Amino acid sequence: LRNSITPSFGNSVAFESKESNYGVLNDFTLIQNGIVVVCMSCLCNLYQPFIRLWIGSQYMLPDYMIYLFAIYFYAMSLSENTVMLREVTGIWWEGRKGAVIEAASNLILNYVLVKYYGIAGVVVSTIITIVFINLPWETYIIFKYYFNMNPFKYVIKQLVLAAESIVIVAITYIIGKIVIVTDIGSLLLKITGSVLIPVILWVLI
């Protein structure tokens, strides 16, 4: 989705006003978030049943790892927006310090947390660096050097979308618990619910 929209957004940056492009960014963020919510619902609902059905319960990770993977996926999807903005606006040099700090912090946290928490430590360290370094820094740089405006409204919108996403995924996960996967048919039923329920909730919101 991001790769396909990048050239169009780049063309818009070249020929349209910054105000117009800010509107495009908000629209894209909303659409992308809706798609990501469906994906997160599928991750939370289908990881464990699929592994159990495919190769057995002994190969399943703890449930908290599934939640971490979903959060990691969401954080990565948010960072995709800033990546796209940097590509189309060409604001690379101004954000160089943030990239170095993020990489160094991620490396240090990986080393420290993996010793105590294993795989979970690696995932958590990446989530921390994305949420607390990458997103704030990249958003600040892009809004300062391209949009020339305060990013406060955009950040608030992101937080509201994140809150809505958590609620939708939680509701879908609770409802999904009703379906116990024992064969391909019940797995297909769970897949259907994992897609349709978040779509319906998202449209209603």
Side-chain angles (χ1 to χ4, degrees), residues 100-172:
V100 173
I101 293 170
E102 181 190 3
S105 301
N106 197 8
L107 186 63
I108 294 169
L109 285 172
N110 274 337
Y111 179 76
V112 173
L113 296 180
V114 76
K115 295 173 70 175
Y116 298 100
Y117 304 107
I119 297 174
V122 176
V123 179
V124 169
S125 66
T126 306
I127 293 171
I128 290 172
T129 52
I130 290 174
V131 173
F132 294 102
I133 299 176
N134 177 285
L135 290 175
W137 177 254
E138 296 281 3
T139 302
Y140 167 75
I141 291 298
I142 290 163
F143 272 79
K144 179 181 179 180
Y145 291 101
Y146 175 69
F147 288 116
N148 304 124
M149 60 186 291
N150 192 313
F152 181 75
K153 287 184 177 180
Y154 182 72
V155 172
I156 292 299
K157 287 179 181 178
Q158 291 274 32
L159 293 174
V160 170
L161 287 174
E164 292 172 353
S165 301
I166 291 170
V167 171
I168 291 172
V169 172
I171 292 173
T172 307

Side-chain angles (χ1 to χ4, degrees), residues 38-56:
V38 175
C39 294
M40 287 176 66
S41 296
C42 290
L43 293 177
C44 290
N45 279 301
L46 302 174
Y47 255 133
Q48 302 289 55
F50 176 77
I51 293 297
R52 185 170 57 246
L53 191 63
W54 178 37
I55 50 178

Side-chain angles (χ1 to χ4, degrees), residues 48-84:
Q48 302 289 55
F50 176 77
I51 293 297
R52 185 170 57 246
L53 191 63
W54 178 37
I55 50 178
S57 301
Q58 67 272 26
Y59 291 100
M60 290 167 57
L61 289 169
D63 284 345
Y64 68 82
M65 282 301 306
I66 306 310
Y67 310 144
L68 287 177
F69 284 143
I71 295 169
Y72 168 78
F73 178 77
Y74 189 80
M76 286 297 293
S77 73
L78 292 180
S79 69
E80 287 288 289
N81 284 348
T82 59
V83 169
M84 179 181 70

